[in-house]
Amino acid sequence: GLQSWQVRQHHAERGLQRTFEGEGAPPERLAWDGRRAGGRRAPDGVYTSDVGLSYAKGNEPTATTSSFRLDVTPPRISLDISPRPFSPDNDGLDDELQIGVTVDEMSPIEAWNLQIVDPVGNPFTEFTGRGTPRPTITWNGLSRDGELVQAAEDYPVAMAMRDDLGNEAVASGVIPVDVLVIQEGDKLMIRISSITFPGNSADLDAVADIAADEKNRRTIDRLSEIFTKYSRYTIRIEGHANNLSFANPLAAANEQVEELIPLSTARADAVKEALVRLGIGEPRL
């Protein structure tokens, strides 16, 4: 005499969220996708389901499940990168990067992965773990193979995380690397990435690529700050240009003398002039 059945999904704090019902006997198993009748997601939280039956003779038995968790929201991750810029040159200042990790998630974290890639997108190093990551991940600036980061470059970082219900999230950021000052005996070697010039030119103001131009200016500004700090040092600037005739030794030798040395010298002079304009004394250069 079973006439109808009803299954109701109750949020512990926000009440009834979804009802299933039908005639005759209920199905042996009923699946719920965490959505309300109109298709909107029900709120995450702790739920119970109750089952009600209705018999022809008037009996209306009920049963309630144990509580269960509904969580269809990915973890919320935020990354805090310090110091900015990062300067792993072993001078005792800003040599280690601290990546602060904040996670907002009601379900236990199953696994996480933090990957740092080089400026052209190749994997550089990574950290992985299970469970909630520690609040701070420390990095010394070395790749998995022991290679030091390139100076004056940006290293993208991304943290991926999955909770125990399969919800996944990714947070990303950028690690800016400083100009690096490396001690070599009684000298200091300044490590930077290339200052870019137009082809066959020593004109810094003629760099057409906006990103390259901004990077040039940022690098030279930072160099002036470092040279001001190390005020007792004189500074040697080297310019470089690519030999395009390397397949022909005679032509390569002529190119070296007639084009590359004058061009390289002019490029070094252009950087020198830019530093003088920023207040570095010309006799030091």
Side-chain angles (χ1 to χ4, degrees):
L2 183 56
Q3 291 186 318
S4 63
W5 58 272
Q6 193 175 64
V7 177
R8 295 172 291 269
Q9 316 288 17
H10 291 273
H11 189 284
E13 299 174 354
R14 301 174 66 174
L16 181 64
Q17 298 296 320
R18 181 69 187 268
T19 299
F20 300 90
E21 55 190 354
E23 302 295 325
E28 290 188 8
R29 183 177 297 272
L30 187 143
W32 181 41
D33 61 2
R35 295 186 177 274
R36 296 171 176 164
R40 289 171 48 201
R41 277 175 30 188
D44 289 352
V46 177
Y47 281 76
T48 55
S49 292
D50 64 55
V51 180
L53 304 178
S54 179
Y55 284 86
K57 293 184 178 181
N59 295 328
E60 294 186 344
T62 61
T64 302
T65 68
S66 57
S67 61
F68 60 90
R69 194 164 24 95
L70 172 66
D71 181 5
V72 293
T73 301
R76 287 177 287 274
I77 315 165
S78 61
L79 302 179
D80 180 36
I81 297 169
S82 178
R84 302 174 69 95
F86 174 38
S87 178
D89 51 12
N90 202 31
D91 66 349
L93 182 66
D94 296 336
D95 288 327
E96 289 189 334
L97 184 76
Q98 310 294 326
I99 304 175
V101 182
T102 303
V103 183
D104 181 9
E105 170 59 29
M106 68 176 294
S107 299
I109 299 300
E110 183 178 89
W112 58 271
N113 171 277
L114 185 141
Q115 185 174 70
I116 298 170
V117 300
D118 69 18
V120 295
N122 297 315
F124 196 73
T125 193
E126 67 177 351
F127 302 82
T128 61
R130 303 191 69 81
T132 302
R134 55 189 181 273
T136 302
I137 296 172
T138 302
W139 182 42
N140 60 4
L142 298 178
S143 73
R144 288 171 294 187
D145 300 323
E147 176 188 351
L148 185 64
V149 291
Q150 298 177 48
E153 291 282 3
D154 290 338
Y155 280 69
V157 57
M159 172 168 265
M161 195 173 295
R162 182 179 67 252
D163 67 23
D164 68 345
L165 294 178
N167 300 307
E168 298 180 342
V170 176
S172 59
V174 173
I175 300 169
V177 179
D178 202 355
V179 170
L180 302 183
V181 183
I182 309 296
Q183 185 85 36
E184 292 189 356
D186 61 348
K187 297 181 179 180
L188 296 176
M189 180 69 73
I190 302 293
R191 290 187 55 175
I192 61 172
S193 59
S194 296
I195 293 176
T196 305
F197 288 87
N200 299 314
S201 170
D203 188 354
L204 274 173
D205 295 326
V207 178
D209 183 89
I210 295 176
D213 182 57
E214 290 178 351
K215 182 180 173 186
N216 283 351
R217 296 178 188 280
R218 189 168 64 244
T219 300
I220 293 173
D221 286 347
R222 182 60 178 143
L223 284 172
S224 73
E225 294 174 2
I226 291 173
F227 293 149
T228 300
K229 175 182 176 182
Y230 293 98
S231 58
R232 67 185 181 90
Y233 285 83
T234 56
I235 301 147
R236 184 177 72 189
I237 302 171
E238 297 180 359
H240 299 270
N242 293 329
N243 191 309
L244 301 180
S245 305
F246 53 86
N248 184 329
L250 181 59
N254 290 333
E255 183 183 8
Q256 174 79 358
V257 173
E258 297 174 5
E259 297 182 42
L260 300 187
I261 290 177
L263 179 58
S264 298
T265 303
R267 286 177 169 175
D269 283 335
V271 174
K272 174 183 174 180
E273 292 169 6
L275 289 168
V276 170
R277 288 196 298 269
L278 291 171
I280 303 300
E282 188 169 2
R284 296 179 59 198
L285 303 171

